[in-house]
Amino acid sequence: MGKRRTILIGGLAIIAIVAGTVAVRTATFAPTDIADGSGVRLAAVPAYNLGTAVEHLSAAAQIRTISHQDAADNDVAEWDKLHAWLAATYPATHEAMTRTILPNRTLIYHWPGSDASLAPIIVMAHQDVVPVTEGTEGDWKYPPFAGTIAEKAVWGRGTVDDKGSLIGLFEAIEALATRGFQPKRGIYLVSGHDEEAGGSGAAAAAAKLKAEGVRALYTLDEGSVVLLDTPVIDGPAILIGVAEKGYATLKVTANAPGGHSSMPPAETGVTTLARAVLDITEKPFPIEMRGPGAAMVEALAAHKGGTTKMAVANRWLLGYLLENQLSASPSSAAAFHTTIAPTMLEGSPKENVLPQSATALINYRIAPWNSSADVMARAKAAVGDAPVELSWVKPPNEPSRVSSTSSQGWKYVVAAARADAPGAVVAPYLVVAATDSRSMEPISEDVYRFMPMHFTLKETAMIHGTNEHMTIDSFKRMIDFYARLIATSAG
């Protein structure tokens, strides 16, 4: 009995220690180094005509700057049309700022500051839009390139991604210039021509600015929004992208003798390829609570409180529960690991011919703590000695660096965003897609990815999808946000 009693007392003591540790860590838990921007004194939004601004977004949506997979299919005249329209529509902007049109049609605008010792700011929005999938035009409530103003919104391809931002920036700058604003910091507006097809335009713009010695305080581009039904808190959160995942496409090639399909060998090039693809995809990268995704969860959990806060504060004990929850859906899991997605297959040119070469393309979005070298090593280990070749379709884009959540640039962005959504939680965010802003890292202290549109999770599905539209409410928020941000941080 004595021994059992000792064991029982010891067990209770351990439980008490664990419970006490959990309680203390939960009570004292707070996200670290996320400034709230409360010390920033915001400039007022200059007057502008919202109705006219809405008509301008409608007009821009009607200009078909469509980036196709093959750039040879693009109608370059549409980019020239957009440039001419911008110059005619925003005269004060074009008087205050110098405009450079790169040979590829990327735009660089510059408004010099009065104090050359102050680092400039860079704001970005791209000109191009994705195509509308052929045969789905009839699924749209309004024609995708009509720029229809209806139901308190502007409808059309690109109204959200990314002409809403582009026109919002021009409206804000036009209002500031018209009312005599004179920046102390220089302002650069960079608008890439091909963000939807790789972003070579933004890369060229960054190279030019680097050669000119530009070093910006911050860069702001698209990437995230004010999410109204944010998981964890089931409420609004200002999610500001502080990093974006890398991008790489792996080509898996299986070579074989070929021949007639009536006399197939035991294993064809196609079956070899299929086995290799399955081997790669069945060894996914693990879910990891780290990086910007973890910082986001911490900020949301601290606000939520209760058992959610307890779980995040005590990952040493409850981390497995968090990881199980985060991996429950692809949308949540994407922020916590490198993703693997087979997207394209190619084999024989004819149904009764065995291919001499069968290929698959696997697209990776690389988490900030991984690299393309990690991806290749993992793929090679997965296929082992299978008779396949692994290569990159083109040089990978490595993950971006993680920008500060306590710098002056962050404070400016947060303060301008909170003015529009004062009750929302502020949290850093990992952008799982790619933006033009990654090219600005060499010339910018910090890079942020955020648009102040108010979206639900369901509404985000329209980006690149059917019935894309910008509500007038969100468009007004965007103009106000850009005007506040520019006037405050450059004024």
Side-chain angles (χ1 to χ4, degrees), residues 111-176:
W111 195 343
S114 60
D115 187 346
S117 69
L118 295 176
I121 65 172
I122 300 173
V123 290
M124 302 183 72
H126 60 86
Q127 305 164 57
D128 60 324
V129 303
V130 297
V132 173
T133 303
E134 189 174 349
T136 67
E137 295 86 353
D139 296 335
W140 287 66
K141 293 183 71 173
Y142 305 96
F145 289 100
T148 303
I149 302 172
E151 303 179 46
K152 298 181 180 180
V154 182
W155 298 74
R157 174 61 82 228
T159 50
V160 173
D161 186 13
D162 190 29
K163 285 182 178 173
S165 291
L166 182 65
I167 303 308
L169 281 168
F170 272 95
E171 292 291 334
I173 293 172
E174 184 76 6
L176 290 168

Side-chain angles (χ1 to χ4, degrees), residues 41 73 93 97 115 118 129 168 177 191 200 229 235 291 333 390 421 461 475:
R41 184 176 179 180
D73 296 330
T93 298
M97 306 181 84
D115 187 346
L118 295 176
V129 303
S191 183
S200 67
D229 54 351
L390 304 180
F475 188 48

Side-chain angles (χ1 to χ4, degrees), residues 213-272:
V214 172
R215 178 68 181 176
L217 178 68
Y218 70 83
T219 292
L220 179 73
D221 196 8
E222 63 171 339
S224 189
V225 298
V226 178
L227 192 61
L228 299 177
D229 54 351
T230 311
V232 179
I233 63 172
D234 297 320
I238 298 167
L239 303 177
I240 299 174
V242 294
E244 63 183 60
K245 299 178 87 171
Y247 184 103
T249 300
L250 183 71
K251 184 177 182 179
V252 185
T253 304
N255 295 314
H260 199 285
S261 64
S262 63
M263 298 175 288
E267 181 158 324
T268 68
V270 169
T271 51
T272 299

